[in-house]
Amino acid sequence: MWHKLFRPKWRHRNRDIRAEAIQQLPVDDPGFVAAVRQDPDTGIRRQALRRVTDRQLLQDIAESDSDASVSRAANRRLWYLLAQSDDAASIQQTLALLQQRGNPGLAEYMIRHSRSTMLRQQLLDAIRGPALLAEIALTDADTAIRLQALQRITRLSTLKRIAREARGKNKRVARRARELVEEQTLLQELPQLQQQLCDDIEQLASLQQPDHTTLHRLDQQWQKVGATAPEALKSRFSHARSQIRDAIEASRDSKAQLDRQRELCEQSEALLHDLEQQVNAPSLNLNEVEAAEWMLASSWQQLQQELGLLNPALEARFSESQQTLARRRRQIEQHRQLHAQQLAMIAEMQNLADDHRKLTAGGIKEIETRWQAQTPKPAAGMVKHFQQHLSRANQHLQANIASAAKLETELDARLQQLETALEQGQLNAAGAARSKAQQTMERLEKLAPARLKQRKSNFHRLLGRYAELHDWQRYGSDHVREELLGEMQRLIDSGLPPRELANNVRDLRNQWRKLDRKGGPAPEALWNNFNTVAEQAYAPVVAAQQRHQQQQQESAQQRTEFCDRLAGEYAQIDWSNPDWPAIDRRIQDVRTQWRKLGGVDSSSWKRLNQHFIDTIKPFEARLSEVRKAEKLRRERLIRQVQRLADDPDIDIAVEQTKSAQAEWKPLVSAGRQMEQQLWKQFKAAADAVFARRSAIQQSELQEEQANAAAKQAICEQLQQLKSTADGGWSAARKERDRLAAEWKTIGPAPRHQYKSLQQQFARLKRAFDEAEKAALNQQSRNQLELLLQQAELCDQMEQQLCGEGAADNALHERWTALPEVQGGAESRMQRRYQRILDASAKGGNTIDQLCAQQQENLDRSQQLCLEMELLLDIDSPEAFHDQRREWQLRHLSSAMTGGLAQNGNASSSVRRLVEESCANGPLPPEAAASIRERERNIIAAIQVQ
């Protein structure tokens, strides 16, 4: 019994209560599952299916539910869940459903909405409709699927539409669509094109000299479209092509023959032209010109023997050029012989003018006589050239005469200076005068050797006196050498550094040699003593050099051992799995260490450095391969990032760019210049991607700011709407709904404004709803209060009828003066007022019948007030507590489930009951006021839902 009284709400008899209770149950609650399977109302079951997440439950309901609408709803919910999941289980379940039921609608739905790329690819084969294939080719998120769908479309109009609509959205799809359009168009136009190609090649074959380029173009076009041509067309095309090739070959042979003849003519003319151009060039070799002329003539004769008949015009042209060439060559040869004779005489005159010894007046006259005797006369240029050398020879002759006189005077002065210096014992001055006098004598001997005989004897006499003075001078030089020997002895115990000591020894030796040059060689004993002391002073330098040499030898040994260790390291490396970064760092360290090792002599350095190069070469050979691979890898990264700059999905582009940055560091570095070049290119490509992202973000920010401004404008309109809605809440609500719909269409605002705008909009909506609710409540109360006023007037009129038999006219006037009540209550109250008017007019029994219903009407009104008080959950007068309790017991089930107060229609039900109570009829005078008072309390508690 109690399980019937206290059954759960999801099993309530009232549909609305049951629907609300089911919506509040968790989806894994057994009651919810039972309601989804067993609820008698199909609408409730369909509504509950929207919350189900168990795919097996949905599949069972779709297969077993007796109602078709519920089965369809379960199917749609199952499809939605399968589409939103991309795990393997969902894919297997989807494929199983397709195999079991063969539902084409499922395939179309999944290929439109599934998140699994693999599933959409598998389902694409089940799609047959060209419209759906076109939709997939234009809208699917995966480019591979779009291309796969595009490949299955054969309708030309659809392919054209896809090519047009995909332009600017997906380049690969648009490009492939255009290719398919071209292929389809070609297939449709193929027979006509094959026929046209045959006609074109036959027309080309009819020409006397067909064009090879046109044949090649037609041949290529036929290779593309001729494979499926009929045999007749193939035969026509092949025959015409053979004719054209034969004609081209014959034309080519004829042209080759003419080209050979024309080439010989051009070579002959070119040889003549070169001869004319180089006629005055010294490098022109007429023997070579004659040989080339003979070779051209021989080639023409050989061509004549091969071909027989030659082109007459070309033959005449060749003969004329050969004759002109031979004639011109002979003229040039004669001119050259004469020119050579003239040049020889000019050269003789030039040599005579330059040779002062041979320059005489007779020699000049002899060459001038031969020049004037030439026939024909020389050219003006040659004459001018000869006259220049002739004039220069005469000038030199006169200059030689004048110079000889001056040199004689100068030589006498030099000899006098020498004699004076010897008399005064000035050896240095005498040496200088001796040298100058000797130079002057040599110059005078070139100009006038006959005038030197007496002066030469005087010069030799002075040279003897100079030798005597020089011997006396040597004594002073030996004294200086003694001082140099003393300085050298002091260097032995000086303790100077080796470098400075070596410099001092070198300086003293240089001073000794200088004395030897000035004062003659030193005595042998003095020289041996000086040399012995110098060797003793230089001994520390020799010891230092020996130590330095020892250090160089040790450094050479270290470098050799260093190379040997490096070769051992190479042998120990596991080259099947090398640590390339460590090897690269090691080679860099090795190079640094090699530079820091001690110095060696130049001869050893060349050998050791080559040894080091040979030792490190295997490392570099292996590293170079890795460097090359790393360079190629990073070049691919650069190209990849450069392509990402045009990727439509900027988020993926940025993510892949960051991934490329993480992959950039090479295993082995290339050269510094190459590293800088690669990094510069990579950085430029990455910056382009990030710049594009910044531009998109800026655009999105501007769009979000515009959205925020639009939403703020809607909030302001909603704020104004609240204050201007007093004139008509119906129109205001329509405007409010329009603003709410517009709010949903506006995109997101900036993150820092989103929450505040949403809160402001929600607050304004609540304020509007509360204001509207308050206004409607007040409007409802006003209507019900007006209804009570009419009911009270009716009560007074009915009381007068029952007591006095007539109603006061003043009451009727007050009734007429009251405003009309809106809705169905007006007709009820009019019927009650009409009954009063009818009873007043008829009187007698009619009034008695009306008044006889007072107690019945009172019971009805009290019952109605009690129900209204229960519905609104307000207190009833104490006199009615028992009656209220009895009523509750009679309706225990509804009371326990809260149905009387929570069915959502309490206010409307109360308003209906108030209207019914006011229109009930006459009440006992003593009870009417209490009924109206209870009704006023009820009206005050009504709230618009």
Side-chain angles (χ1 to χ4, degrees):
M1 173 181 179
W2 288 105
H3 72 277
K4 295 182 179 179
L5 291 176
F6 297 100
R7 68 176 61 184
K9 290 183 181 180
W10 61 269
R11 295 181 60 191
H12 199 276
R13 289 192 300 272
N14 188 300
R15 178 193 179 282
D16 296 334
I17 296 174
R18 196 166 66 249
E20 183 176 359
I22 292 174
Q23 289 301 317
Q24 295 177 357
L25 288 175
V27 295
D28 56 351
D29 190 280
F32 178 80
V33 176
V36 171
R37 288 180 177 274
Q38 302 171 7
D39 195 278
D41 191 292
T42 57
I44 292 177
R45 297 212 303 277
R46 288 196 303 271
Q47 184 177 5
L49 283 172
R50 299 175 185 172
R51 299 176 56 212
V52 176
T53 58
D54 187 347
R55 296 198 293 263
Q56 189 58 46
L57 175 61
L58 290 171
Q59 184 174 349
D60 294 342
I61 294 174
E63 294 174 353
S64 61
D65 201 285
S66 58
D67 188 89
S69 63
V70 175
S71 179
R72 285 194 301 271
N75 256 331
R76 286 292 178 178
R77 178 63 178 171
L78 177 59
W79 295 359
Y80 172 79
L81 293 177
L82 291 173
Q84 294 302 308
S85 178
D86 57 355
D87 55 8
S90 300
I91 296 174
Q92 293 298 327
Q93 188 174 0
T94 304
L95 296 176
L97 286 174
L98 286 171
Q99 292 175 358
Q100 293 172 7
R101 305 166 68 182
N103 194 335
L106 174 59
E108 294 181 5
Y109 181 87
M110 296 304 292
I111 205 166
R112 279 193 176 103
H113 304 289
S114 177
R115 295 173 58 185
S116 172
T117 303
M118 181 176 66
L119 179 61
R120 297 202 308 275
Q121 287 179 336
Q122 294 181 8
L123 295 180
L124 193 60
D125 294 335
I127 302 304
R128 296 291 182 267
L132 181 56
L133 289 172
E135 178 185 347
I136 296 170
L138 285 170
T139 61
D140 197 274
D142 188 89
T143 302
I145 295 179
R146 297 174 70 173
L147 293 173
Q148 187 178 351
L150 180 64
Q151 199 66 32
R152 297 187 53 204
I153 299 174
T154 58
R155 186 179 298 172
L156 185 60
S157 59
T158 304
L159 291 172
K160 289 181 178 179
R161 179 173 64 85
I162 294 173
R164 183 174 59 255
E165 295 182 5
R167 186 184 306 154
K169 299 177 181 178
N170 192 305
K171 294 182 180 179
R172 292 180 61 189
V173 174
R175 182 170 59 252
R176 183 54 185 159
R178 290 194 297 269
E179 293 173 356
L180 291 175
V181 168
E182 294 176 0
E183 293 176 3
Q184 292 294 331
T185 305
L186 182 62
L187 288 176
Q188 293 180 4
E189 300 175 355
L190 193 58
Q192 182 180 357
L193 182 58
Q194 293 169 348
Q195 180 66 38
Q196 183 64 39
L197 288 176
C198 286
D199 295 341
D200 291 345
I201 200 169
E202 288 175 347
Q203 183 179 2
L204 183 64
S206 64
L207 299 178
Q208 185 176 0
Q209 290 185 346
D211 181 47
H212 184 270
T213 304
T214 305
L215 173 63
H216 181 68
R217 176 177 57 80
L218 293 175
D219 204 7
Q220 285 187 332
Q221 294 178 359
W222 182 261
Q223 289 178 2
K224 294 180 180 179
V225 303
T228 59
E231 291 298 328
L233 292 179
K234 288 183 179 179
S235 177
R236 286 176 55 190
F237 190 90
S238 177
H239 180 67
R241 181 171 54 185
S242 300
Q243 290 180 343
I244 293 172
R245 290 191 180 278
D246 294 341
I248 290 175
E249 191 65 30
S251 175
R252 186 176 296 166
D253 292 341
S254 177
K255 184 176 180 299
Q257 296 173 5
L258 289 175
D259 287 344
R260 290 176 63 187
Q261 299 175 41
R262 190 178 292 109
E263 182 180 1
L264 289 175
C265 292
E266 291 173 353
Q267 289 178 358
S268 179
E269 292 169 351
L271 183 60
L272 177 61
H273 181 266
D274 291 342
L275 181 63
E276 293 292 348
Q277 293 293 324
Q278 301 179 17
V279 65
N280 295 321
S283 60
L284 177 62
N285 190 337
L286 292 177
N287 294 329
E288 294 180 357
V289 174
E290 185 179 6
E293 180 183 349
W294 179 83
M295 289 179 63
L296 288 172
S298 300
S299 299
W300 186 268
Q301 293 175 359
Q302 183 179 359
L303 185 63
Q304 190 172 20
Q305 293 174 1
E306 292 177 359
L307 302 179
L309 185 62
L310 299 180
N311 185 279
L314 293 176
E315 188 172 8
R317 176 182 169 186
F318 181 80
S319 177
E320 181 181 359
S321 64
Q322 286 285 291
Q323 293 173 3
T324 304
L325 181 62
R327 183 173 64 253
R328 186 60 177 146
R329 177 175 52 77
R330 289 192 295 271
Q331 292 174 355
I332 293 173
E333 188 172 2
Q334 294 173 359
H335 178 75
R336 277 195 167 190
Q337 292 175 357
L338 180 60
H339 186 72
Q341 295 174 2
Q342 295 172 356
L343 288 177
M345 285 187 285
I346 292 173
E348 288 181 24
M349 183 61 74
Q350 182 179 5
N351 292 332
L352 188 61
D354 294 338
D355 193 347
H356 295 279
R357 295 184 178 183
K358 298 179 180 180
L359 185 60
T360 61
I364 294 174
K365 186 64 177 177
E366 189 271 334
I367 297 174
E368 186 179 5
T369 302
R370 283 193 287 118
W371 177 266
Q372 292 176 352
Q374 291 185 95
T375 55
K377 296 298 182 180
M382 299 291 288
V383 172
K384 181 179 179 181
H385 196 191
F386 180 82
Q387 290 296 331
Q388 288 176 351
H389 289 295
L390 176 62
S391 175
R392 192 163 63 87
N394 290 326
Q395 291 175 1
H396 286 178
L397 180 62
Q398 296 300 324
N400 287 346
I401 296 172
S403 298
K406 290 181 181 181
L407 289 173
E408 287 177 355
T409 303
E410 183 180 353
L411 180 59
D412 292 339
R414 299 298 184 193
L415 291 175
Q416 183 62 39
Q417 291 175 0
L418 176 60
E419 187 173 4
T420 303
L422 291 174
E423 290 175 355
Q424 295 177 358
Q426 297 177 356
L427 183 62
N428 292 335
R434 178 183 64 82
S435 299
K436 293 179 180 179
Q438 188 171 3
Q439 293 175 2
T440 305
M441 287 180 63
E442 291 175 355
R443 292 169 59 190
L444 182 59
E445 189 175 8
K446 293 180 180 179
L447 296 177
R451 301 182 182 184
L452 285 176
K453 185 175 181 180
Q454 183 179 355
R455 292 179 176 83
K456 278 186 177 181
S457 62
N458 189 22
F459 179 71
H460 290 308
R461 180 180 60 80
L462 294 175
L463 285 179
R465 292 179 60 185
Y466 176 79
E468 292 177 0
L469 181 63
H470 183 268
D471 292 338
W472 281 101
Q473 189 72 25
R474 290 183 59 186
Y475 176 77
S477 299
D478 291 342
H479 179 71
V480 175
R481 289 187 178 94
E482 291 292 341
E483 293 178 355
L484 293 177
L485 178 60
E487 293 181 8
M488 187 67 77
Q489 287 175 343
R490 286 192 292 271
L491 289 177
I492 295 175
D493 299 325
S494 64
L496 293 175
R499 184 180 296 275
E500 185 176 353
L501 182 60
N503 292 335
N504 290 337
V505 171
R506 187 184 304 110
D507 291 340
L508 293 176
R509 283 184 177 275
N510 290 335
Q511 293 179 28
W512 186 280
R513 294 189 187 96
K514 186 175 182 181
L515 289 174
D516 288 345
R517 288 194 301 270
K518 290 183 177 181
E524 184 176 357
L526 185 60
W527 160 247
N528 291 334
N529 190 14
F530 179 79
N531 190 42
T532 302
V533 174
E535 290 178 354
Q536 292 177 4
Y538 199 74
V541 177
V542 174
Q545 291 177 347
Q546 290 176 352
R547 290 194 299 271
H548 180 66
Q549 184 177 7
Q550 180 65 27
Q551 291 175 356
Q552 287 182 337
Q553 292 175 356
E554 293 176 357
S555 298
Q557 182 63 28
Q558 291 177 358
R559 290 179 180 273
T560 303
E561 294 174 356
F562 185 82
C563 293
D564 294 340
R565 289 196 301 271
L566 189 59
E569 291 181 13
Y570 179 84
Q572 292 176 0
I573 294 176
D574 182 10
W575 292 108
S576 62
N577 186 24
D579 186 355
W580 292 116
I583 295 173
D584 187 33
R585 289 193 300 271
R586 174 58 179 159
I587 293 303
Q588 294 176 5
D589 294 341
V590 162
R591 291 184 181 278
T592 303
Q593 294 174 14
W594 178 259
R595 290 192 295 270
K596 292 181 179 181
L597 290 175
V600 297
D601 59 278
S602 58
S603 59
S604 299
W605 167 251
K606 184 175 182 181
R607 174 181 55 81
L608 290 170
N609 192 52
Q610 185 62 43
H611 186 195
F612 175 74
I613 293 173
D614 295 339
T615 304
I616 209 172
K617 187 179 294 183
F619 289 95
E620 291 294 347
R622 293 181 180 270
L623 287 173
S624 64
E625 295 297 327
V626 182
R627 288 193 182 99
K628 183 178 180 181
E630 287 297 294
K631 178 177 178 292
L632 294 176
R633 180 182 69 83
R634 288 185 289 174
E635 287 176 346
R636 288 195 296 270
L637 284 177
I638 291 171
R639 291 193 294 271
Q640 175 185 343
V641 176
Q642 288 173 343
R643 290 193 297 269
L644 290 175
D646 299 327
D647 195 298
D649 193 336
I650 189 60
D651 292 332
I652 294 178
V654 170
E655 181 181 354
Q656 293 182 358
T657 301
K658 291 181 178 179
S659 177
Q661 287 178 331
E663 298 173 7
W664 176 258
K665 185 176 181 181
L667 288 175
V668 177
S669 299
R672 181 177 181 181
Q673 185 176 0
M674 179 58 67
E675 287 291 333
Q676 291 178 348
Q677 179 181 355
L678 291 173
W679 174 248
K680 184 177 180 180
Q681 295 176 1
F682 180 75
K683 187 175 184 299
D687 290 344
V689 175
F690 293 130
R692 181 163 167 261
R693 180 185 66 173
S694 298
I696 293 175
Q697 288 177 345
Q698 183 64 26
S699 175
E700 291 176 351
L701 178 59
Q702 293 176 356
E703 183 179 355
E704 289 177 352
Q705 290 174 347
N707 295 338
K711 290 190 174 185
Q712 185 62 43
I714 289 179
C715 291
E716 294 173 357
Q717 295 178 31
L718 194 58
Q719 178 70 30
Q720 295 175 0
L721 186 64
K722 174 187 172 184
S723 59
T724 59
D726 294 338
W729 285 99
S730 178
R733 169 151 300 271
K734 290 181 180 179
E735 179 64 15
R736 179 258 192 198
D737 294 340
R738 186 190 68 77
L739 292 175
E742 184 179 351
W743 178 278
K744 294 179 181 179
T745 61
I746 299 175
R751 184 177 301 177
H752 66 279
Q753 294 179 272
Y754 176 81
K755 186 175 180 180
S756 60
L757 286 172
Q758 290 292 122
Q759 292 175 349
Q760 182 182 2
F761 182 70
R763 184 174 64 255
L764 291 173
K765 280 175 56 179
R766 288 195 302 271
F768 180 88
D769 293 341
E770 291 173 358
E772 180 187 24
K773 182 178 178 181
L776 293 177
N777 283 334
Q778 187 60 41
Q779 182 179 354
S780 178
R781 292 193 192 95
N782 293 339
Q783 290 290 315
L784 293 176
E785 182 61 31
L786 180 59
L787 190 65
L788 282 178
Q789 292 178 13
Q790 291 179 347
E792 289 175 342
L793 287 176
C794 288
D795 289 342
Q796 294 176 18
M797 286 186 286
E798 287 168 347
Q799 289 173 8
Q800 289 181 357
L801 282 177
C802 292
E804 302 176 2
D808 190 356
N809 288 331
L811 294 176
H812 291 288
E813 293 175 359
R814 287 173 58 190
W815 171 275
T816 306
L818 289 174
E820 294 183 358
V821 179
Q822 302 298 324
E826 174 64 21
S827 59
R828 291 182 179 180
M829 293 305 299
Q830 285 293 342
R831 286 197 296 272
R832 181 179 178 186
Y833 178 68
Q834 189 62 41
R835 288 198 300 269
I836 295 173
L837 292 179
D838 292 343
S840 178
K842 293 179 181 179
N845 293 333
T846 304
I847 295 175
D848 293 339
Q849 291 177 1
L850 184 63
C851 295
Q853 298 176 358
Q854 289 182 354
Q855 186 59 43
E856 182 181 351
N857 292 337
L858 176 61
D859 294 339
R860 179 57 181 163
S861 293
Q862 289 176 346
Q863 181 65 33
L864 291 174
C865 288
L866 183 62
E867 291 184 12
M868 289 187 288
E869 290 164 350
L870 285 168
L871 286 172
L872 296 176
D873 197 18
I874 60 176
D875 292 336
S876 301
E878 186 177 354
F880 296 95
H881 284 182
D882 294 338
Q883 185 179 355
R884 179 169 177 161
R885 189 179 300 109
E886 292 177 359
W887 192 90
Q888 286 177 332
L889 289 174
R890 287 198 304 271
H891 300 81
L892 179 61
S893 178
S894 296
M896 293 297 292
T897 58
L900 293 175
Q902 301 178 15
N903 58 6
N905 297 317
S907 297
S908 59
S909 299
V910 170
R911 283 195 296 271
R912 178 178 54 78
L913 295 176
V914 169
E915 295 172 1
E916 184 178 351
S917 178
C918 291
N920 190 23
L923 299 173
E926 67 278 3
S930 63
I931 291 297
R932 302 309 171 201
E933 183 65 26
R934 292 176 68 182
E935 290 173 348
R936 277 193 170 84
N937 293 335
I938 291 168
I939 290 171
I942 293 177
Q943 296 290 334
V944 176
Q945 299 298 322

